[in-house]
Amino acid sequence: MAVLIYAHGDTEQRFPLFRNITRIGSDPTADISLGFDNVAADHAHVLREGDAFVLASLGRGRPLVINGKKEKRARLQEGDTIEIGEATLTFALHDDAVQCEHKQPAEDKAVIKAYRELVSFSEKLLHSKDLDGLLATLMDTLIEVTRSDKGFLILFEDGNPLVKVARNVQRENIDDAIKELSDSIISKVVREQQPVIVADAQGDAEFKASLSVINLKLQSVMCVPLTEAGELLGIIYLGSNKIVNLFDPAMLEAVTVFASQASLLIRNAMLLNTLRADNEALRQAVDSKHFGDIIGASEHMQEVFRKIRKVAPTGVSVLITGETGTGKELIAQEIHRRSDRADQPFVVVNCGAIPENLLESELFGHVRGAFTGAVVTREGRFQCAHKGTLFLDEIGEMPASLQVKLLRALQEKVVTKVGGTKPESVDIRVVAATNKNLDEEMKKGTFREDLYYRLNVVTIHLPPLRDRGEDLMLIGRYLLKRHGEEYNSKVKGFSPQCVMLMKKYDWPGNIRQLENRIKKAIIMADRVQLAPEDVELSDADLKPVVPLNQAKEDFQRRYINEVLARNNGNRTKTAQDLGVDPRTIFRHLEREDGEDGAQG
């Protein structure tokens, strides 16, 4: 293993370069901490690039002197001297390349051999795609370098320890591996997340009374946690039933250093396996739960799909209702695609986005000179949709003056351009959509009742995203995959905390809001798994929990109002349906009137 050697007085320190990036500076948390006034907190770092090591300054005012020459960046060679502040370090490609003149102890050689074996394995793990096969090789390597009789790799899945690999010195799998482990020693490592050596288990004051130690006749045990970002991923467990004092602190340090590097690599390999499984599951889910370009498995969406199948071939007018962002245009496209007009135009008019003075021209066209700026005769959307489907989005925003003309065009199937006199026949199917309650709009007089019934032969209501259950994450993962490929992003999934908050959030903007946040996160995020902040979510975005009495009162109020509306305001019939005294309904209405008066 490559090292930087810092000699001061009669002593020297050796810093193994086992990380991809080794930080050098005066900061006590640096990998190589040099406590001199003229050394910056983050002064330089050593980058591992394949088999090469590159030393680089981290900015102005952080000088490096390599072999007597000032450098900002240099590829290190065997024996290079590096001056950083008052410290001089020597680079050695192998730890035994620069040694004191006296003979190296056999124990040190064993540890160096262990380092080399483990570093070699790390390189294989970094480039491997066969995680299971490589983990077995990992344990065989550890058993060999530590001279153990047996070795186990325990990984935690959903908080539960599972023995992933169990090997003996003959490189064979061990059956009933769980029976070969000391639960008391494992519990200590899990609890403290620190490596442990038990030199003589039978005589150890802490463990000699443990039934597992007694029954297994354990002599030597070394147990090292695998942690990454403070999270316990698993445990490396090595043991011998024959030899006491088999493991020493130097060997423990070598295995611990390896474990710190292997944790990240194993986590990445596990994540890759999970992502492959998720992608396959997503592909199967999308294949089985998609309906054209629409994804959904909830009962609400299955009812929507049933209606589309029924209504699409008939040619009748359809009104699609639902909140903003629920995907009403996708439903209209699917109705068109499944109709006998599928090979004809699908024309979209957003009635809320076109100024009122231009909307009539947009719908029916105009002749040259009909108004200022009309320099040529132009076809309208009705003419463009001839033989096809006209989708009138946000129909609830259409001005009352145009509703009359629209109704006439739908009834007579004839339109006349603005400024023109010649009627033109059109053969179109109309699909309309709105996020408004058109019943309320009719009561207010802002939407014509005759137009409503002309458009609303069949209603398809799209539920909000918050009411679609598991569809939320199914759609989220589909969008993440689609836009991730579009933007060539390294983002591959959502963190567990992110999934939890996404499921609890109300998504007032529905699928459109979800898609926009995922797009932004894919572009801006620097991690493989999106965290809550990447999709702009936190606990503060969730609805506050109301007291139970308040929740009961709110539900009761809404329910009484629903039954009253069903009974056209008949209080006696409502009381009978609800099984309550009529005075309960009268008191309810008095409270409603009182609140309305207070608000007015």
Side-chain angles (χ1 to χ4, degrees):
M1 176 182 290
V3 294
L4 283 176
I5 303 167
Y6 172 44
H8 46 102
D10 295 331
T11 61
E12 67 178 26
Q13 288 179 268
R14 295 173 176 270
F15 300 101
L17 303 177
F18 59 88
R19 302 177 186 275
N20 289 331
I21 300 177
T22 301
R23 295 169 48 241
I24 305 173
S26 59
D27 190 322
T29 65
D31 300 312
I32 301 177
S33 181
L34 304 173
F36 298 106
D37 293 338
N38 54 355
V39 177
D42 286 306
H43 198 103
H45 60 208
V46 179
L47 301 174
R48 183 172 182 176
E49 298 180 352
D51 295 331
F53 295 85
V54 176
L55 178 68
S57 168
L58 291 179
R60 296 180 62 182
R62 297 172 175 84
L64 297 174
V65 179
I66 302 174
N67 298 329
K69 182 179 178 181
K70 282 189 176 182
E71 302 278 5
K72 291 183 179 178
R73 178 184 175 92
R75 179 169 174 164
L76 296 177
Q77 305 292 332
E78 182 72 38
D80 281 351
T81 59
I82 302 153
E83 296 174 43
I84 301 177
E86 299 173 22
T88 300
L89 301 98
T90 304
F91 173 74
L93 195 55
H94 299 289
D95 196 13
D96 54 351
V98 179
Q99 295 290 346
C100 299
E101 291 183 0
H102 59 78
K103 186 176 180 181
Q104 188 180 13
E107 293 82 359
D108 289 350
K109 289 183 179 179
V111 172
I112 289 170
K113 182 178 184 295
Y115 271 119
R116 286 180 178 169
E117 292 287 345
L118 297 178
V119 169
S120 173
F121 174 79
S122 295
E123 291 172 349
K124 293 177 184 176
L125 183 58
L126 184 63
H127 299 99
S128 173
K129 295 182 180 178
D130 178 17
L131 178 62
D132 292 338
L134 205 62
L135 291 181
T137 305
L138 156 67
M139 199 48 59
D140 291 340
T141 302
L142 286 170
I143 290 172
E144 179 183 349
V145 301
T146 59
R147 304 186 301 281
S148 305
D149 296 337
K150 54 190 174 182
F152 306 85
L153 177 65
I154 304 164
L155 296 180
F156 288 88
E157 294 184 3
D158 298 325
N160 300 313
L162 298 175
V163 179
K164 286 291 187 180
V165 180
R167 304 281 281 181
N168 60 26
V169 72
Q170 286 81 33
R171 300 191 173 225
E172 299 167 336
N173 291 326
I174 298 175
D175 296 327
D176 296 328
I178 196 70
K179 296 179 180 179
E180 297 288 328
L181 298 167
S182 168
D183 52 5
S184 57
I185 296 175
I186 290 174
S187 296
K188 178 181 176 69
V189 176
V190 171
R191 184 173 62 252
E192 300 178 1
Q193 293 194 22
Q194 294 295 325
V196 168
I197 286 182
V198 182
D200 180 3
Q202 298 292 320
D204 188 277
E206 183 175 358
F207 298 112
K208 65 181 180 181
S210 168
L211 289 176
S212 58
V213 170
I214 295 170
N215 294 337
L216 292 171
K217 299 180 180 180
L218 291 175
Q219 298 294 341
S220 298
V221 175
M222 177 161 57
C223 206
V224 178
L226 291 164
T227 59
E228 199 269 312
E231 179 184 351
L232 183 65
L233 298 181
I235 292 172
I236 293 173
Y237 181 107
L238 299 158
S240 172
N241 298 351
K242 301 176 182 177
I243 305 173
V244 297
N245 298 312
L246 175 62
F247 309 116
D248 57 29
M251 185 60 70
L252 177 65
E253 182 180 358
V255 175
T256 302
V257 167
F258 166 73
S260 68
Q261 184 177 15
S263 296
L264 180 60
L265 300 175
I266 290 174
R267 159 59 71 85
N268 288 342
M270 290 170 63
L271 178 59
L272 182 60
N273 276 7
T274 301
L275 290 173
R276 285 173 180 156
D278 283 350
N279 282 339
E280 178 60 21
L282 175 61
R283 186 190 65 77
Q284 293 178 2
V286 170
D287 287 348
S288 64
K289 298 172 183 176
H290 79 288
F291 188 81
D293 291 334
I294 311 160
I295 298 173
S298 64
E299 289 184 13
H300 290 301
M301 292 307 296
Q302 292 304 311
E303 176 62 17
V304 169
F305 299 158
R306 187 189 70 81
K307 283 190 174 183
I308 293 174
R309 290 189 190 97
K310 290 283 188 179
V311 77
T314 65
V316 300
S317 298
V318 179
L319 179 64
I320 306 168
T321 62
E323 295 179 7
T324 297
T326 48
K328 294 186 285 294
E329 185 171 341
L330 281 179
I331 299 297
Q333 289 174 343
E334 195 60 31
I335 291 172
H336 174 71
R337 191 177 295 122
R338 290 170 180 264
S339 73
D340 57 5
R341 299 172 180 263
D343 57 348
Q344 299 298 324
F346 176 80
V347 178
V348 179
V349 180
N350 188 326
C351 302
I354 302 171
E356 181 177 348
N357 61 332
L358 297 178
L359 184 56
E360 183 178 359
S361 169
E362 193 70 24
L363 287 172
F364 308 127
H366 60 258
V367 298
R368 178 182 177 185
F371 50 83
T372 303
V375 295
V376 295
T377 297
R378 182 174 176 272
E379 299 290 305
R381 299 295 179 90
F382 265 77
Q383 293 93 331
C384 293
H386 183 58
K387 298 291 186 182
T389 302
L390 180 67
F391 176 52
L392 299 174
D393 198 8
E394 297 189 36
I395 190 65
E397 303 292 338
M398 178 168 283
S401 59
L402 268 180
Q403 292 179 27
V404 179
K405 297 179 180 180
L406 174 61
L407 176 62
R408 184 178 303 117
L410 296 178
Q411 287 175 335
E412 299 174 4
K413 298 185 179 180
V414 170
V415 297
T416 303
K417 292 184 175 71
V418 175
T421 57
K422 181 182 177 182
E424 300 175 56
S425 297
V426 289
D427 174 16
I428 60 171
R429 179 189 196 166
V430 173
V431 178
T434 182
N435 60 1
K436 287 189 171 184
N437 185 331
L438 293 187
D439 287 326
E440 293 295 327
E441 297 300 315
M442 286 189 293
K443 289 177 184 178
K444 292 189 294 185
T446 58
F447 199 84
R448 293 181 62 92
E449 187 173 353
D450 47 6
L451 177 59
Y452 174 77
Y453 290 115
R454 171 64 63 174
L455 295 172
N456 187 24
V457 177
V458 175
T459 300
I460 295 178
H461 179 70
L462 277 183
L465 191 55
R466 60 183 171 274
D467 291 343
R468 291 179 57 179
E470 291 302 316
D471 282 359
L472 168 67
M473 293 314 304
L474 188 65
I475 294 168
R477 292 190 176 99
Y478 170 76
L479 293 172
L480 186 72
K481 183 176 185 297
R482 190 180 80 185
H483 293 305
E485 292 173 353
E486 177 185 353
Y487 296 114
N488 194 27
S489 171
K490 67 179 181 181
V491 177
K492 301 298 180 186
F494 302 95
S495 71
Q497 180 69 7
C498 187
V499 171
M500 184 269 292
L501 285 176
M502 287 173 68
K503 288 182 175 180
K504 289 184 177 181
Y505 183 53
D506 263 358
W507 297 104
N510 292 292
I511 299 171
R512 185 179 296 124
Q513 181 188 16
L514 175 66
E515 182 169 17
N516 287 344
R517 291 205 182 178
I518 287 175
K519 271 188 181 180
K520 179 180 177 182
I522 286 171
I523 294 169
M524 302 301 295
D526 295 321
R527 50 191 129 210
V528 175
Q529 284 191 314
L530 294 182
E533 56 268 26
D534 295 320
V535 292
E536 302 174 25
L537 287 180
S538 68
D539 289 333
D541 296 304
L542 305 182
K543 275 189 175 180
V545 177
V546 298
L548 184 58
N549 286 339
Q550 180 65 46
K552 288 179 179 178
E553 184 178 331
D554 291 344
F555 172 77
Q556 179 174 302
R557 178 179 174 180
R558 289 194 304 271
Y559 192 59
I560 292 175
N561 286 337
E562 287 177 11
V563 179
L564 273 167
R566 184 184 300 176
N567 292 326
N568 296 316
N570 187 316
R571 304 171 187 182
T572 304
K573 179 69 166 59
T574 298
Q576 289 175 349
D577 288 347
L578 294 175
V580 299
D581 191 291
R583 287 174 293 183
T584 300
I585 306 302
F586 283 100
R587 285 194 295 269
H588 166 78
L589 291 172
E590 286 174 359
R591 284 196 300 270
E592 292 283 288
D593 291 340
E595 291 182 9
D596 290 343
Q599 292 173 2

